[in-house]
Amino acid sequence: MDSADDENLRGQAEIWKYMFRFVDSMALRCVVELRIPDIINSHGGPITLAQIVSSIPEASSPDISCLARIMRFLVRRNIFTAHHPSNGSEDITLYGLTHLSRWLLTCEQTLAPMLLWQTDPTLMTPMHYFSGCVKGGGVPFEKAHGRGMFAFMSENEEFGKACNDAMECTARIILKEILSDSQCGDHVFGCLGSLIDVGGGTGGALSEIVKSYPHIKGINFDLPHVVSKAPVYAGVSHVAGDMFESIPSADAWIMHDWMDEDCVKILKNCRKAVPEKSGKVIIVDVVLDLKGNGLFDDMGLILDLLMAAHSLGGKERTEKEWKKILKEGGFSCYKIIRISTFLSIIEAYPE
């Protein structure tokens, strides 16, 4: 086979893999729903399929052969390990955890809630509307569900809770990365007297910051229907409001991405309230590197497509795009701090 034929064959193989990549996602969703990583972990070591099935709640008539095929596939993906007992029995397979499946456990540092939310049919269905929106405009989520995501969440409590759980698990991972580096954490948060998390959901992320820096007065700011369900956290007060109308006064904010015009509105409201000399805006978000080949560079582009599918004008931005909206919002000076994840910290200061 010459090089051209080899390249063509490899191309075909790649397209087949991309075509069926949803199988990976749904197999992962299956084992998280069944809590199989937790079941294996609770046994303290590799276990058999029969042991796994016996621990699955409400498994009245389990199909072990179906589970065996799912586990075989995920062993191939390095999600689980598989080996035979030391006594040499070839008919018994023991399944164990890997460094990948440990991210699916029910624990502080987990991606399981985000996996469940991102593979929810509510979020998967809009992806089928991309081509129609390219031809005729519109937002895929709105085409699929007849209203925007935030309106949908306010009307669907279960979906809204799944979203909050997903955001909180991600925030814990990101914040651990920031706070475990004392130099980074002290630089970002150490000098603050108060901190508002704008659009902070139920306040889980802010509570982690206040735990590490108890001198900070934490204010979790979000829509009324969100903060009404927020739990009590020491050092954190929940305030209901609309960031497009006004933002309470504090030393800094954490803000996530909206369409450019909305970001500028939010930043201008921040500018009105931020202390003239000591205040800053803290943005924890993606800074796209279009030519990057780092561990998480693909994630920025994946998240950008999710923004296109689920929000009106929402997107991930390059540094040049961030610089533009920060300046329009009244913050001409900024600093980008790269951390070991797909997000970066952007500190913006009044001009």
Side-chain angles (χ1 to χ4, degrees):
M1 182 182 295
D2 61 29
S3 59
D5 289 338
D6 183 60
E7 185 177 88
N8 190 50
L9 190 61
R10 288 178 181 275
Q12 180 194 154
E14 286 296 308
I15 293 300
W16 278 111
K17 286 195 290 186
Y18 288 136
M19 188 188 311
F20 290 114
R21 193 149 287 177
F22 69 92
V23 175
D24 297 61
S25 299
M26 301 317 296
L28 286 175
R29 180 181 178 89
C30 171
V31 296
V32 170
E33 287 179 324
L34 296 174
R35 303 193 68 169
I36 289 175
D38 289 322
I39 290 170
I40 297 173
N41 190 56
S42 69
H43 280 74
I47 58 176
T48 65
L49 284 175
Q51 289 174 301
I52 293 173
V53 167
S54 68
S55 299
I56 297 175
E58 301 176 1
S60 56
S61 54
D63 186 338
I64 293 185
S65 65
C66 180
L67 178 59
R69 293 158 75 177
I70 293 169
M71 295 298 286
R72 179 177 63 184
F73 175 76
L74 291 177
V75 167
R76 176 79 174 186
R77 291 290 187 263
N78 297 317
I79 304 298
F80 298 107
T81 62
H83 65 273
H84 300 294
S86 56
N87 61 16
S89 174
E90 293 293 322
D91 296 329
I92 298 175
T93 302
L94 299 175
Y95 295 92
L97 301 179
T98 69
H99 64 288
L100 278 72
S101 47
R102 291 192 179 279
W103 281 101
L104 303 177
L105 293 170
T106 303
C107 60
E108 277 292 306
Q109 295 289 297
T110 180
L111 284 169
M114 178 59 80
L115 173 70
L116 291 175
W117 189 54
Q118 289 296 340
T119 56
D120 187 290
T122 303
L123 288 186
M124 299 287 278
T125 302
M127 309 303 284
H128 293 276
Y129 290 79
F130 258 136
S131 58
C133 289
V134 168
K135 291 188 287 186
V139 179
F141 190 96
E142 293 180 6
K143 296 283 188 182
H145 301 295
R147 52 211 181 282
M149 183 185 289
F150 291 111
F152 187 93
M153 279 194 291
S154 68
E155 299 166 6
N156 294 269
E157 186 172 347
E158 186 175 342
F159 181 74
K161 183 181 184 306
C163 172
N164 287 330
D165 291 345
M167 295 299 108
E168 286 195 16
C169 86
T170 307
R172 280 194 294 268
I173 293 168
I174 302 304
L175 284 171
K176 183 179 180 182
E177 185 65 37
I178 296 171
L179 299 174
S180 63
D181 182 343
S182 59
Q183 186 174 357
C184 178
D186 290 350
H187 170 78
V188 176
F189 301 115
C191 62
L192 303 179
S194 56
L195 175 67
I196 292 183
D197 192 345
V198 177
T202 54
L206 186 57
S207 73
E208 294 298 316
I209 298 171
V210 173
K211 278 182 194 175
S212 296
Y213 297 92
H215 67 277
I216 292 177
K217 175 187 176 184
I219 301 171
N220 180 53
F221 184 73
D222 213 312
L223 295 169
H225 75 272
V226 177
V227 298
S228 66
K229 298 179 176 64
V232 175
Y233 294 111
V236 175
S237 58
H238 300 290
V239 176
D242 186 339
M243 70 181 105
F244 293 107
E245 294 179 1
S246 65
I247 294 172
S249 178
D251 291 332
W253 290 265
I254 298 174
M255 182 186 72
H256 290 283
D257 53 308
W258 295 77
M259 63 191 300
D260 288 352
E261 293 81 0
D262 288 340
C263 280
V264 171
K265 288 178 185 176
I266 296 167
L267 287 166
K268 285 182 176 178
N269 283 335
C270 291
R271 181 65 185 87
K272 292 174 185 176
V274 73
E276 198 63 39
K277 295 182 179 179
S278 61
K280 61 181 176 181
V281 168
I282 303 169
I283 303 169
V284 182
D285 213 326
V286 172
V287 179
L288 287 175
D289 183 354
L290 300 180
K291 296 182 179 179
N293 57 1
L295 195 59
F296 291 103
D297 283 325
D298 272 2
M299 275 299 301
L301 293 170
I302 291 168
L303 291 172
D304 184 55
L305 282 185
L306 291 177
M307 291 294 98
H310 299 151
S311 64
L312 176 61
K315 61 181 180 179
E316 307 300 352
R317 298 172 174 85
T318 62
E319 181 176 350
K320 182 178 179 181
E321 291 170 320
W322 277 116
K323 181 178 180 179
K324 179 176 183 294
I325 63 171
L326 287 169
K327 185 174 183 180
E328 290 178 7
F331 297 89
S332 58
C333 300
Y334 69 92
K335 178 181 180 181
I336 294 176
I337 303 171
R338 303 282 181 174
I339 54 178
S340 299
T341 180
F342 58 91
L343 299 178
S344 295
I345 302 168
I346 306 170
E347 291 187 331
Y349 310 94
E351 50 189 0

